[in-house]
Every structure is written in C-alpha cells, then in structure tokens.
Amino acid sequence: MYIQLTYEKATMKDIARRFPENPLLKPSNLLPSSIGLQVICLLNPGVFVFEDKTWLLVRVAENIPQKEGVIFFPIANALGQIEIIEISLDDPDLIADDARVITYKGQDYLTTLSHLRLLCSDDGVHFYEPDDYPLITGIGYLEQFGIEDCRVSKIDNTYHLTYTAVSNSGVGVGLRTTTDWKTFEQKGMIFPPHNKDCAIFEERINGKYYALHRPSSKEIGGNYIWIAESPDGLHWGNHQCIIKTREHHWDSARVGAGAAPIKTEFGWLEIYHGANAENFYCLGAFLMDLDHPTKVISRTVKPIMIPTESYETSGFFGGVVFTNGHVVDGDQLTIYYGAADEFVCGAHFSIKEILSLLE
C-alpha cells in the first residue's frame, strides 16, 4: 500500500502541527470495562469543553483474549449484558480475513465491542478518567454490537451526542442528549441504516437545525456527505448530497464528516475525512454558505493532514488519521484524532491557513 502511494503522498500537503506528546492515549492507559475483556483500540474521540476542562468522549474497543484454533468476540444483548460468541477457525461458514469484521453463516459481526468513555484534561494534553462519570454503552437491540465514533454538538445549554449504532440490523445514527454528562436522554435512531458520520451544526440557521450525515450504497451511488434539516433536532428531511468522492484523488473511495462545522466570517468550515481504495485515510476541508449550508462554496484539493508518523501508519489498522472532535480558540483549531485505529492524538491547525487552501 505504501509503495503505491509514494507519488500521491509526495503531492499532498500536511499542515498539521502534531503534539510532541503524541500518542496522548494508548489502549494500555485504560482499564477494560469488565472482567474478561481487554482494551484493543482507542478511537476517534468526540470533543467538548465542560467546566473549564477539555473532555474527550473516546471510543473504547474491547474483545476477548484469543486462544489458538478459535475466535471469540463479544456482543451486547437487549439488556446491555455482554455475551461471548466462540467459533472454530476451521469452520467452513466463517470468513475472518478482516481485522475489524468477520462473517459467519452470512451474518456480519464486529471483532470488537465498543463503548464511549469520558476523559478530561486541564491542559488539553494530559487526560485522565474522572470519578463519578458513567461509561456510555449500547442500549437495546439496535446497539447490540456497540456504539462508536461520537460527535458532540452543544446547542444552547444541551450537548447532543450523535454516534454510530451497530447491530445485526445494520449501522445507523443514534442520538442522546445531556446537560451534566451524568444523566442522558436516549432519543433513539435518527438516521436508519446504512448511515454514520453525523455532525449537527451548533446553532440553528433560519430557525432550523442542520446536520451532515453519510448514507452508503453498495450498488448505486457511493459514500458521500449529505446534509439534512430539522424543525426539532429529531425529525430530519430535505436531504441533499453536497460532497462526493473524487476519482484519482486522495478521497476517491469514501468521504465523511468530522465534528460540527465551524462558523467563520466566510462560511461554515467542515473538516472531513476521505480515503482511497487502499483505505488510506486523510483529512480535508470544505466551506458551506452561512445562510444556505446546502451550498458548498469551496473545497481543498489536497488533504490538510495525511498519515506520516509511525503511530499513524502502524497500528490496529494502519494508514489512518480520522477526526470527529475539535476545540476552537480564535484562529487555533485543535483537532483530536484517531491514529491507525488504535491511538488518540492531537494536532493544532490555523483556521486561516485552512481557509487559504480552499479552491
């Protein structure tokens, strides 16, 4: 993969100023959620500011220690209790050639079970797990394979958590809300399968809520970014496709939204991820009109961040930088991102510099 991308990488532009402390978090930094499980990966945190601290809502992926000749993986039942499935590796009905997903008797399963874990920091670099804050786990049959990759949008005094809900019925977008991060209201699935990468704008536009999302089609169309509007943040309509993949580019296979769009004087700035056919994930940006966000004004041709460091190119699934969380402080954009589907890292960007690269 890396040999094929040598020329392509040479033509890319990386403007990220990575934290020298990277990786900020590794799987060994967190204890498993229950006895018998092990933390395999930390991925793609949602990010927010609360009580003058920077908080990460980290996706923690766990599985069962493996034994020779069999494969174990956990799922959650309708009551939220963890069940372990065991399959012999020589079972002819098993397809296990992907580290992330296996197929057994025509049914897809994840090799890990993910939940969301709260960590906070006084300086935005050194994170710890505070007392008295709950694990956020899957609830109900639509989340029995876990919840993943949460985006956090603060609207008025309420935090909206949009996350990927995974089950044997498919992959959709769930929503929960909170004001104190200790009690949550479950709003259910707001975008049905197959959909993910949902980021809600942090203010209403012309009285309406807006959200970016990413429906997928295996036959017609592709993995594109769409926008939808809502009168109440729960019921969504007027869906429009606004960003597509680009042939022979770094984002030729799939694109998806990052965190909530950033309001600038020039428009709504969105940091998004894109990947090519070799599953090499980079970050780019596009700009939407302030009053009519269905209109895309401009987009970066080259990515603003590519996997270059060892912790980005090697890991559970190497060659990945992926973000769904950031903090804005004037011109400084601090992006927290998942690296190689295993580590949590941080990088600074200049918003002005990103805007200058839009075409």
Side-chain angles (χ1 to χ4, degrees):
M1 176 174 71
Y2 300 108
I3 294 175
Q4 295 174 353
L5 291 167
T6 300
Y7 172 76
E8 185 178 346
K9 287 176 67 175
T11 65
M12 293 180 178
K13 184 177 180 63
D14 188 318
I15 61 170
R17 302 190 304 280
R18 291 164 174 80
F19 288 10
E21 297 87 356
N22 282 346
L24 304 181
L25 294 167
K26 304 176 183 179
S28 59
N29 294 139
L30 295 184
L31 294 174
S33 61
S34 61
I35 296 174
L37 297 181
Q38 60 183 357
V39 177
I40 299 298
C41 311
L42 306 181
L43 305 99
N44 315 337
V47 183
F48 59 97
V49 176
F50 177 66
E51 295 183 342
D52 299 321
K53 298 181 186 295
T54 300
W55 292 71
L56 304 182
L57 192 53
V58 179
R59 173 184 165 192
V60 179
E62 301 175 306
N63 72 2
I64 310 300
Q66 302 297 303
K67 293 190 294 187
E68 186 176 353
V70 296
I71 185 169
F72 296 93
F73 55 90
I75 65 170
N77 62 26
L79 300 175
Q81 300 165 330
I82 295 176
E83 299 179 355
I84 307 301
I85 296 179
E86 175 182 346
I87 304 172
S88 172
L89 287 175
D90 60 8
D91 191 314
D93 293 319
L94 175 66
I95 301 174
D97 52 7
D98 190 315
R100 302 166 297 174
V101 181
I102 67 168
T103 302
Y104 183 61
K105 294 184 176 180
Q107 175 66 57
D108 292 331
Y109 295 92
L110 297 183
T111 58
T112 60
L113 180 66
S114 292
H115 66 275
L116 306 176
R117 192 88 64 96
L118 284 160
L119 297 98
C120 65
S121 173
D122 297 308
D123 60 6
V125 176
H126 302 92
F127 287 87
Y128 61 94
E129 201 167 358
D131 295 329
D132 302 324
Y133 285 88
L135 303 183
I136 301 173
T137 60
I139 300 173
Y141 77 100
L142 291 178
E143 299 177 359
Q144 69 173 146
F145 291 177
I147 56 177
E148 307 174 352
D149 298 351
C150 184
R151 279 87 172 157
V152 179
S153 298
K154 186 180 182 183
I155 304 173
D156 300 326
N157 292 316
T158 301
Y159 295 89
H160 294 67
L161 287 63
T162 52
Y163 55 86
T164 303
V166 189
S167 74
N168 59 11
S169 298
V171 178
V173 176
L175 173 66
R176 300 184 198 185
T177 61
T178 185
T179 57
D180 61 6
W181 290 97
K182 293 187 178 181
T183 57
F184 298 84
E185 281 192 51
Q186 188 175 16
K187 302 296 186 179
M189 186 169 282
I190 58 173
F191 292 101
H194 188 286
N195 207 309
K196 61 197 312 186
D197 299 338
C198 177
I200 299 177
F201 288 61
E202 293 193 296
E203 67 176 66
R204 298 171 190 83
I205 303 171
N206 300 320
K208 299 176 181 178
Y209 293 85
Y210 280 85
L212 302 175
H213 64 105
R214 210 282 299 281
S216 301
S217 170
K218 294 182 179 179
E219 287 78 29
I220 299 176
N223 296 308
Y224 306 147
I225 298 175
W226 290 59
I227 192 169
E229 62 184 49
S230 170
D232 56 8
L234 293 176
H235 305 90
W236 298 88
N238 196 18
H239 301 268
Q240 299 184 56
C241 182
I242 60 171
I243 291 288
K244 292 187 176 183
T245 54
R246 297 178 289 192
E247 191 175 3
H248 306 307
H249 279 65
W250 59 275
D251 52 4
S252 59
R254 66 190 63 85
V255 291
I262 303 159
K263 190 175 186 179
T264 76
E265 62 180 305
F266 304 104
W268 293 99
L269 177 66
E270 176 63 16
I271 309 301
Y272 76 99
H273 65 266
N276 60 17
E278 288 76 30
N279 294 313
F280 192 75
Y281 280 76
C282 304
L283 301 183
F286 63 92
L287 193 68
M288 295 164 281
D289 185 86
L290 281 177
D291 295 318
H292 304 283
T294 56
K295 178 183 177 182
V296 174
I297 300 170
S298 52
R299 181 177 177 182
T300 54
V301 174
K302 298 177 181 179
I304 62 173
M305 187 178 191
I306 65 175
T308 56
E309 302 301 312
S310 59
Y311 51 80
E312 299 165 349
T313 60
S314 299
F316 185 76
F317 195 82
V320 173
V321 291
F322 188 107
T323 186
N324 39 262
H326 57 235
V327 175
V328 177
D329 183 11
D331 181 57
Q332 179 172 274
L333 174 65
T334 302
I335 286 180
Y336 294 93
Y337 64 98
D341 274 5
E342 187 168 340
F343 311 107
V344 173
C345 303
H348 294 306
F349 294 79
S350 162
I351 293 176
K352 290 179 181 178
E353 186 175 10
I354 295 173
L355 292 170
S356 73
L357 297 175
L358 295 166
E359 297 184 17

